[in-house]
Amino acid sequence: MTNIGPNIRYANMSHWKSIPYKQIDNFREFYYEDKTNTAYYSDWDNILKYQSALGFDGIEIAPWDMADILPLFGSPENFTAFAKERGVEVIGMFHGAHASHAADHFDEAVRSGREAVDTIVRFGGTYMNTCPTQNYYGTGPLSREEVQQCAKVMNEIGRYATDHGVKIGLHNEFFCAINLPNHRELIESTDPRFVHYCIDTAQISIMGEDLLKFYDDYHERISTFHLKDTASSNQPDSVRYAQDPEITDDGTRWFWEPGQGNLDLKGLYRLLKQHEFKGWMSIEYDGSPDLLASMAMTRYYLDNELRPIYD
Amino acid sequence: MKTEAISISLDLINRHYQEPNRNRYESKYFWEELYTLIAASGFSGIEIPYEPVWQFGGRSGVPMNRYCVNTKYESAAKYRAVLQASGIERVTGITFDPNLFMRNDNLGFFFGATGHFAGEALAHAADMGADYFAISPSPYYGRILQYHPDLEAQKQDFTQRTIELLNGLAAKAADLGVTLVLRHEYWSLFGGERILPLLDALPDTVKLDLDTANLFVAGISAADFLATHIGRIGCVHLTDTDFVDTGDVWKTPNPEFPSHRATQVFRDPGCGSVDLVGIAALLDRLKYQGPITCSARQTRDPFRALLRSRALLNQFQK
């Protein structure tokens, strides 16, 4: 039984592709049909148990999961109850604020953000980690006015979220139209009462922010983290502004399990201790070929390297 | 039967469901090696499932739509040249299903999005030089029911709107020189023999796609269906299964994954209960000359499925 520290609780950012079954009661029979390990990755019952067993007692879901989860469970509340029975709670959901920089898209961006907040409330979550707008390619560079427009949308969604007990956290990808030249400008243009920040440790490092300095500068704004490692910090414009750079043509991975890249995560934990961070932290494994192995690898690293620094 | 003309569908790659090492399927390198392996297993033709989803979210490494092909290869012609260099001489068909667009209670959205992307997929089929464009005329019955609980009351209207959409596609297909074929998946509003009235309402240029496993699941003899409708068959899918739907699984929201008892509905060709050797012999006797495609949908191991498919075809009478 893993002891969960009093300051940080750990969640898994769900990167499972479609999980086709809620629960498999005929597990042995299903396994014997083709004698592969497919059966082990086919139902939420086992996926949630894997998480629980490895001490990730929160799950952050994604909007693209909805099309599968809702038919399987019937409602967000049913999924939440099912997860809770297995020791896992839904902490929130990712959201992409498409075209929030475009003045003529204001109403739609706000409507979509509010709907996402409503969905999170139904799941019992309290975090909405929000990509501020779409990819740089085909959109950037953004004008000052467009950045301000983006901030206006974030404030509006943030106000609604706060009223409903949800914290929105800006979440920047390395390939987003909000990028190194205007990353901090956006944060500083938003209202700290309503808009927080979710540090995706690898994404902002690839984008060119210094992870420790960024956290130190903005620690009061930080609602949560997507914790992952990278060995690809400070990528040039030609990479960050390219078309569809997230999935590489040759299989090169941007993201690694904590400890498998070269970010100073121990330094980050010393700062977490200094600033007394409290809350949920999602571990993210996008790009991993084996999400279960990544979870186990991460649990070992957390327990043996990071939690001794700050728990 | 001349098995060298039989294609394999790229649906043997599990793009949507979790499995170990699934993420490699999103990178270009995976597919470019796959083409050579498909050729090495004796197939020189492929079928491509057209999936708009890959253009949302920057996953253009999956070569399943026009956006992805243009992003990675600039044009359909250059993509086809890559296929040729890998030993894939032709794309024989493109398939399309509208499940992605059944996500809310707005039928206007469903028919609008389906019409738009089906039109794009059909044009892509022409760009690829495909013989056929095989469309699933409805999403999962159970998925429609989830958002439209009054589906049975609305069935006539839904059918009429489907006919209008398909009529538009039929005219476009005729202009492009591609054969429009209708699929009859067991889970469809128009599954099994329910496809026939829909076909009757469309021009004669529109044909049937005979899918052996989908008929088996619905409890229909593929051999009888083939013999009865041979004049209207525009495409044959050699698919296999052990599953017969006796519990109305076809009406559930996720019908290819029976919720009450997990099972792999579609088995690798030659590994299930469908008499595919017999079907091949019957196709010969009926002098069927149209496209034939092997599909190892839901396979647990695409590379074993390729060779299993080849092992099956090797059993066909030459």
Side-chain angles (χ1 to χ4, degrees):
Chain A
M1 185 74 185
T2 306
N3 293 318
I4 301 300
N7 296 309
I8 304 178
R9 297 185 70 192
Y10 290 99
N12 182 40
M13 170 71 197
S14 180
H15 276 285
W16 301 100
K17 298 301 168 183
S18 294
I19 302 294
Y21 292 101
K22 181 176 171 180
Q23 189 165 349
I24 296 172
D25 294 326
N26 55 319
F27 191 80
R28 293 193 307 275
E29 179 189 22
F30 188 48
Y31 167 78
Y32 280 127
E33 284 185 347
D34 206 17
K35 305 181 190 71
T36 66
N37 54 354
T38 303
Y40 287 76
Y41 295 89
S42 293
D43 67 329
W44 278 108
D45 177 43
N46 278 306
I47 296 289
L48 291 163
K49 285 174 179 171
Y50 298 157
Q51 261 203 225
S52 186
L54 289 165
F56 298 102
D57 45 357
I59 186 167
E60 183 179 339
I61 52 178
W64 50 85
D65 297 329
M66 292 304 117
D68 297 303
I69 285 178
L70 295 179
L72 277 186
F73 289 88
S75 71
E77 292 83 357
N78 289 353
F79 179 82
T80 296
F82 186 88
K84 199 170 179 182
E85 284 167 10
R86 285 145 187 83
V88 178
E89 58 187 280
V90 178
I91 69 159
M93 184 173 79
F94 187 78
H95 174 66
H98 180 76
S100 72
H101 63 280
D104 62 359
H105 200 73
F106 178 81
D107 290 345
E108 172 58 24
V110 170
R111 187 195 59 78
S112 157
R114 285 178 174 173
E115 276 182 9
V117 170
D118 292 343
T119 300
I120 289 167
V121 169
R122 290 190 63 189
F123 276 101
T126 54
Y127 292 90
M128 183 162 97
N129 299 321
T130 306
C131 179
T133 190
Q134 66 245 45
N135 288 13
Y136 185 98
Y137 183 89
T139 300
L142 298 183
S143 66
R144 295 289 305 278
E145 292 73 22
E146 286 173 316
V147 175
Q148 291 308 306
Q149 184 65 30
C150 192
K152 187 177 162 191
V153 169
M154 294 303 126
N155 286 338
E156 199 60 36
I157 299 172
R159 186 188 308 272
Y160 182 85
T162 305
D163 289 345
H164 290 78
V166 172
K167 277 187 171 185
I168 75 163
L170 297 174
H171 175 292
N172 225 98
E173 276 85 7
F174 75 84
F175 44 82
C176 185
I178 296 291
N179 215 287
L180 194 59
N182 49 24
H183 182 222
R184 293 177 175 228
E185 181 187 348
L186 174 67
I187 299 168
E188 285 157 22
S189 303
T190 55
D191 188 330
R193 292 174 302 164
F194 306 128
V195 180
H196 310 274
Y197 195 96
C198 165
I199 296 185
D200 186 307
T201 51
Q203 294 274 16
I204 67 162
S205 301
I206 296 168
M207 188 170 71
E209 290 280 7
D210 178 278
L211 172 62
L212 270 53
K213 186 171 188 328
F214 181 78
Y215 175 56
D216 210 24
D217 289 348
Y218 289 97
H219 64 270
E220 290 179 349
R221 300 288 301 268
I222 305 309
S223 50
T224 184
F225 287 80
H226 280 179
L227 186 73
K228 58 192 193 228
D229 216 333
T230 184
S232 311
S233 295
N234 305 308
Q235 288 296 310
D237 293 3
S238 59
V239 171
R240 302 191 334 270
Y241 301 163
Q243 187 172 9
D244 296 349
E246 187 180 7
I247 308 295
T248 59
D249 287 348
D250 64 356
T252 297
R253 277 174 66 176
W254 296 118
F255 311 123
W256 295 92
E257 298 79 2
Q260 297 292 356
N262 51 25
L263 290 183
D264 183 7
L265 297 179
K266 292 177 185 175
L268 174 67
Y269 266 63
R270 285 190 285 273
L271 281 178
L272 291 173
K273 183 177 183 177
Q274 181 186 318
H275 296 305
E276 298 179 340
F277 173 81
K278 288 181 175 60
W280 283 94
M281 190 182 274
S282 284
I283 315 291
E284 198 173 17
Y285 315 104
D286 35 347
S288 162
D290 190 332
L291 300 176
L292 179 53
S294 293
M295 270 202 280
M297 188 186 276
T298 300
R299 171 49 57 190
Y300 185 91
Y301 189 78
L302 286 172
D303 289 354
N304 291 278
E305 304 290 345
L306 298 181
R307 289 179 61 215
I309 299 169
Y310 181 62
D311 194 16
Chain B
M1 173 169 284
K2 292 180 179 168
T3 54
E4 56 273 17
I6 297 177
S7 294
I8 186 93
S9 177
L10 293 189
D11 73 0
L12 87 164
I13 302 302
N14 167 22
R15 287 98 50 219
H16 301 293
Y17 293 93
Q18 189 56 46
E19 66 178 33
N21 212 5
R22 182 219 152 272
N23 284 358
R24 64 198 161 140
Y25 301 154
E26 293 185 6
S27 282
K28 184 182 173 193
Y29 82 92
F30 173 84
W31 297 92
E32 292 196 342
E33 185 188 15
L34 177 68
Y35 306 141
T36 65
L37 300 178
I38 286 173
S41 59
F43 292 97
S44 58
I46 57 171
E47 172 192 87
I48 301 175
Y50 195 90
E51 295 180 331
V53 70
W54 302 108
Q55 78 188 63
F56 310 116
R59 273 143 173 82
S60 47
V62 188
M64 300 300 196
N65 64 50
R66 177 178 265 174
Y67 168 87
C68 296
V69 165
N70 290 345
T71 298
K72 297 300 184 191
Y73 300 96
E74 295 179 10
S75 69
K78 288 186 177 175
Y79 176 62
R80 289 171 69 183
V82 169
L83 293 176
Q84 287 268 354
S86 308
I88 304 298
E89 291 167 16
R90 62 201 179 281
V91 176
T92 54
I94 298 285
T95 65
F96 180 88
D97 80 62
N99 280 304
L100 180 66
F101 308 115
M102 183 45 68
R103 55 196 315 130
N104 55 42
D105 59 4
N106 182 346
L107 278 183
F109 168 82
F110 170 75
F111 281 103
T114 300
H116 170 78
F117 283 106
E120 187 181 77
L122 176 54
H124 188 64
D127 290 346
M128 288 289 162
D131 300 321
Y132 64 88
F133 177 64
I135 188 169
S136 308
S138 100
Y140 303 139
Y141 178 96
R143 191 65 58 100
I144 310 172
L145 202 61
Q146 193 189 340
Y147 296 108
H148 303 273
D150 57 345
L151 174 59
E152 283 302 320
Q154 286 196 62
K155 202 152 70 172
Q156 203 170 349
D157 178 50
F158 194 98
T159 302
Q160 195 49 47
R161 292 175 83 167
T162 303
I163 288 168
E164 286 166 21
L165 189 151
L166 292 172
N167 264 318
L169 288 174
K172 187 172 179 173
D175 286 347
L176 293 170
V178 178
T179 303
L180 178 66
V181 295
L182 304 188
R183 308 196 78 175
H184 53 63
E185 290 100 338
Y186 67 94
W187 42 250
S188 169
L189 184 62
F190 310 103
E193 284 162 343
R194 297 188 300 277
I195 195 74
L196 298 171
L198 192 67
L199 189 68
D200 290 340
L202 294 167
D204 290 344
T205 53
V206 182
K207 303 294 181 190
L208 266 179
D209 174 8
L210 181 130
D211 184 306
T212 50
N214 271 291
L215 290 170
F216 188 97
V217 173
I220 297 165
S221 157
D224 292 350
F225 193 91
L226 175 59
T228 305
H229 300 290
I230 184 64
R232 309 169 90 182
I233 305 291
C235 173
V236 172
H237 276 92
L238 298 176
T239 49
D240 213 342
T241 184
D242 271 338
F243 179 66
V244 180
D245 181 14
T246 54
D248 276 354
V249 166
W250 74 274
K251 289 185 172 179
T252 61
N254 215 12
E256 293 189 356
F257 298 90
S259 53
H260 67 294
R261 192 177 68 84
T263 187
Q264 183 185 343
V265 169
F266 295 101
R267 301 300 175 90
D268 292 3
C271 298
S273 301
V274 179
D275 179 12
L276 292 170
V277 174
I279 291 290
L282 180 59
L283 286 165
D284 278 344
R285 286 200 302 280
L286 295 169
K287 298 188 168 39
Y288 174 78
Q289 297 295 316
I292 301 175
T293 302
C294 262
S295 161
R297 186 183 181 82
Q298 288 191 325
T299 184
R300 307 310 195 208
D301 180 343
F303 308 105
R304 191 163 59 162
L306 269 176
L307 294 175
R308 282 172 165 176
S309 299
R310 178 53 50 196
L312 169 74
L313 300 189
N314 286 345
Q315 296 175 52
F316 289 2
Q317 206 163 15
K318 296 291 182 281

